[in-house]
Amino acid sequence: MKCGKPLEVEEQEYCFDCSKNVFQYTKGYALWVYDRNVKKSIAEFKFHNRREYCEYYVEELIRFYESKILALAPQVLIPVPLHRSKLQERGFNQAALLALGLGRTLGIPVVENYLLRHQKTKAQKRLNDKERVINLTDAFAVNPKYQNVNYSNVMLVDDIYTTGSTIDACAKVLLQKSTKEVYFISLAIGKGY
Ligand SMILES: [Zn+2]
């Protein structure tokens, strides 16, 4: 198991996306399957500014994954960034709020702007596999401010993991520096198929 997606067939080792792709990240965890209720909750959080939901999300993430995260011993938590214009529009980065909550509870530093999102990427779900990869290539970069700051063991934080292409695009950028292990923690994950 790499991404932690629930699998239809128990004996299956990897989900469809993990067996199809060679992911750069090492492994990761997700709390919930991205079903109707979870989708609704996260949409309220993101688009209707229900930031108070974050507290509950963090509590649940901690309840299930505290020991697993601590076992991986990431030096730092880094949220998947939003493009500047989206951040302005929304007023907050949901992944950063999750990361800050987790970091505070677990005593792990959070570097909110370590990664930058360059292009305004199109919504991934509207694209096919090939377009997704092209869409994300070069979308992320290390913030020049942190050019000389290196972490060997990083945990990325995001709200929704779908195919893994976003997390992996971030992982690639980190691995191009001196990072050796990239993990992720996500609030929700799409179903394996
Ligand atoms: Zn997988």
Side-chain angles (χ1 to χ4, degrees), residues 2-5 7 14-19 23 25 161:
K2 190 144 172 136
C3 73
K5 225 172 248 187
L7 302 172
Y14 294 119
C15 81
F16 180 75
D17 290 316
C18 285
S19 53
F23 285 129
Y25 69 75
Y161 178 111

Side-chain angles (χ1 to χ4, degrees), residues 1-5 25-31 65 68 72 155-156 161 167 182-186 189:
M1 284 261 279
K2 190 144 172 136
C3 73
K5 225 172 248 187
Y25 69 75
T26 306
K27 70 184 287 184
Y29 300 110
L31 182 60
Y65 291 118
K68 288 196 162 101
L72 297 174
M155 181 168 270
L156 293 165
Y161 178 111
I167 288 290
V182 179
Y183 305 105
F184 75 85
I185 182 99
S186 171
I189 191 161

Side-chain angles (χ1 to χ4, degrees), residues 74-82 93 95-100 102-103 108-116 140-143 146 149-159 166-167 170-171 173-175 177 179 181-186:
Q75 284 173 288
V76 68
L77 303 177
I78 295 174
V80 171
L82 290 180
N93 176 2
L97 291 189
L98 289 169
L100 289 167
L102 287 171
I108 303 171
V110 177
V111 183
E112 247 190 274
N113 302 310
Y114 192 80
L115 292 176
L116 296 177
F140 299 100
V142 171
N143 189 336
Y146 296 107
V149 181
N150 290 289
Y151 301 106
S152 61
N153 183 343
V154 171
M155 181 168 270
L156 293 165
V157 182
D158 206 359
D159 56 335
T166 301
I167 288 290
C170 292
V173 167
L174 293 167
L175 291 165
K177 286 181 59 90
T179 302
E181 305 288 347
V182 179
Y183 305 105
F184 75 85
I185 182 99
S186 171

Side-chain angles (χ1 to χ4, degrees), residues 6-181:
L7 302 172
E8 304 260 300
V9 188
E10 293 253 330
E11 304 81 60
Q12 214 182 321
E13 194 180 352
Y14 294 119
C15 81
F16 180 75
D17 290 316
C18 285
S19 53
K20 200 179 50 164
N21 300 296
V22 181
F23 285 129
Q24 309 280 310
Y25 69 75
T26 306
K27 70 184 287 184
Y29 300 110
L31 182 60
W32 295 314
V33 170
Y34 193 53
D35 63 13
R36 249 179 94 230
N37 291 329
V38 170
K39 191 174 175 176
K40 217 175 128 189
S41 174
I42 294 177
E44 284 290 316
F45 170 46
K46 274 159 75 165
F47 306 119
H48 296 121
N49 205 12
R50 303 298 297 266
R51 299 188 207 190
E52 70 273 20
Y53 284 21
C54 192
E55 219 170 290
Y56 168 64
Y57 296 156
V58 170
E59 269 171 33
E60 290 297 291
L61 283 164
I62 293 289
R63 197 150 73 88
F64 283 89
Y65 291 118
E66 177 170 22
S67 59
K68 288 196 162 101
I69 296 170
L70 293 177
L72 297 174
Q75 284 173 288
V76 68
L77 303 177
I78 295 174
V80 171
L82 290 180
H83 185 264
R84 193 164 11 94
S85 65
K86 211 172 223 177
L87 185 62
Q88 264 162 13
E89 183 188 315
R90 194 172 297 163
F92 65 100
N93 176 2
Q94 69 280 358
L97 291 189
L98 289 169
L100 289 167
L102 287 171
R104 204 179 307 125
T105 313
L106 297 172
I108 303 171
V110 177
V111 183
E112 247 190 274
N113 302 310
Y114 192 80
L115 292 176
L116 296 177
R117 196 168 196 141
H118 277 322
Q119 299 142 248
K120 208 171 172 183
T121 40
K122 291 182 196 144
Q124 287 288 99
K125 63 184 172 188
R126 289 167 202 273
L127 306 174
N128 68 32
D129 288 348
K130 243 194 199 130
E131 289 169 329
R132 274 172 205 253
V133 175
I134 294 166
N135 190 38
L136 283 169
T137 305
D138 302 327
F140 299 100
V142 171
N143 189 336
K145 208 169 104 182
Y146 296 107
Q147 213 171 355
N148 298 316
V149 181
N150 290 289
Y151 301 106
S152 61
N153 183 343
V154 171
M155 181 168 270
L156 293 165
V157 182
D158 206 359
D159 56 335
I160 306 160
Y161 178 111
T162 44
T163 62
S165 48
T166 301
I167 288 290
D168 218 45
C170 292
K172 269 177 208 157
V173 167
L174 293 167
L175 291 165
Q176 276 164 13
K177 286 181 59 90
S178 60
T179 302
K180 298 282 176 283
E181 305 288 347

